[in-house]
Amino acid sequence: MDEYEPGPFPTFNDFFIRRFREGARPWIRDPNVMAAFAEARYLAWSSIEDEQTFPVKGEHLSAASLMGSEERARDFVSGPLLLARLCPVDYHRFHYPDDGRVLDSYRAHGAFHSVNPVALKAKSDVLATNERHISILETAGFGKLAYIEVGAMMVGKIVQSHVGPEFKRGDEKGYFLFGGSTVVVLGEPGRWRPDAEILRQTAQQRETLIRLGEPVAMRA
């Protein structure tokens, strides 16, 4: 708790969405390196293939499935993907990974199934059918990103706290109210590549715990 701002916390949700203290999570400033947008357990792929089965079938991690629109997904087909799973014990605010501006923002209504690995194996379409908020971002260093917040069991609300189209690296974008949840970021083909160690761990079917603001990808 020394890493977080002190209370009081009038409700459990106030405690759940507590902020880090100033300086507790320094942000990498190298413009060639994408910073972790959430403190979470990461998986990464250079490109999603239909034959992929971990943690879900590749067809359910396609840009069109996640974004709910083939037209909006067109720029992200065959591009890189980062999947950040937040457990209930984690910091539940999410941030912008680079400077830029919001081009589009919309909600895809859905269910609130669990997003833990066991649940994903049993119901592989969860990330494409759960409640989602999708933003299309134009960033300074990494081109267009599709930034997708996925609600999960007991997450009844995905809050967008940032105001206005412009944002800076590290600015808070929003937060999840109580429960486990996931953030997915898609990129344009050839613009950036996920961190090599996260890719290696994903190939071995293991998540990698990354702190907020640490490196998760490099410019191609």
Side-chain angles (χ1 to χ4, degrees), residues 8-208:
F9 304 109
T11 69
F12 185 77
N13 253 327
D14 290 317
F15 170 75
F16 186 74
I17 61 172
R18 63 198 181 277
R19 287 186 169 92
F20 283 125
R21 289 180 183 269
E22 187 71 28
R25 291 295 185 270
W27 280 74
I28 189 160
R29 293 298 171 185
D30 185 340
N32 295 307
V33 178
M34 184 186 295
F37 41 86
E39 182 141 334
R41 290 137 182 85
Y42 280 77
L43 298 170
W45 294 270
S46 298
S47 179
I48 293 297
E49 307 295 338
D50 285 347
E51 294 76 21
Q52 176 218 301
T53 58
F54 175 79
V56 299
K57 292 179 181 177
E59 63 189 280
H60 299 311
L61 280 182
S62 72
S65 294
L66 291 168
M67 298 177 70
S69 165
E70 290 191 6
E71 182 179 351
R72 283 173 160 143
R74 196 177 317 158
D75 291 335
F76 308 103
V77 174
S78 299
L81 184 150
L82 290 164
L83 190 157
R85 184 175 68 89
L86 288 67
C87 289
V89 298
D90 293 327
Y91 169 82
H92 262 70
R93 293 176 181 267
F94 43 88
H95 297 250
Y96 292 104
D98 195 23
D99 298 350
R101 68 190 313 273
V102 179
L103 300 179
D104 193 10
S105 184
Y106 62 98
R107 189 172 294 270
H109 295 290
F112 293 97
H113 296 293
S114 174
V115 294
N116 70 51
V118 174
L120 290 175
K121 286 181 182 178
K123 185 172 173 53
S124 61
D125 65 345
V126 165
L127 297 176
T129 58
N130 269 19
E131 184 83 5
R132 305 182 304 290
H133 190 279
I134 300 114
S135 301
I136 299 176
L137 314 178
E138 182 68 54
T139 64
F142 305 95
K144 284 185 184 178
L145 302 178
Y147 192 116
I148 304 164
E149 299 114 33
V150 184
M153 187 174 287
M154 296 187 291
V155 180
K157 197 168 187 181
I158 304 170
V159 178
Q160 304 297 313
S161 56
H162 183 80
V163 178
E166 309 292 332
F167 55 82
K168 294 292 186 183
R169 176 181 293 230
D171 283 352
E172 181 182 301
K173 185 177 186 295
Y175 55 86
F176 295 103
L177 294 182
F178 178 64
S181 35
T182 296
V183 179
V184 181
V185 168
L186 306 172
E188 298 172 284
R191 294 302 299 266
W192 53 272
R193 62 182 185 276
D195 176 81
E197 181 60 18
I198 304 175
L199 287 171
R200 189 176 75 81
Q201 294 294 337
T202 300
Q204 297 183 39
Q205 301 193 5
R206 289 197 294 257
E207 296 173 314
T208 303

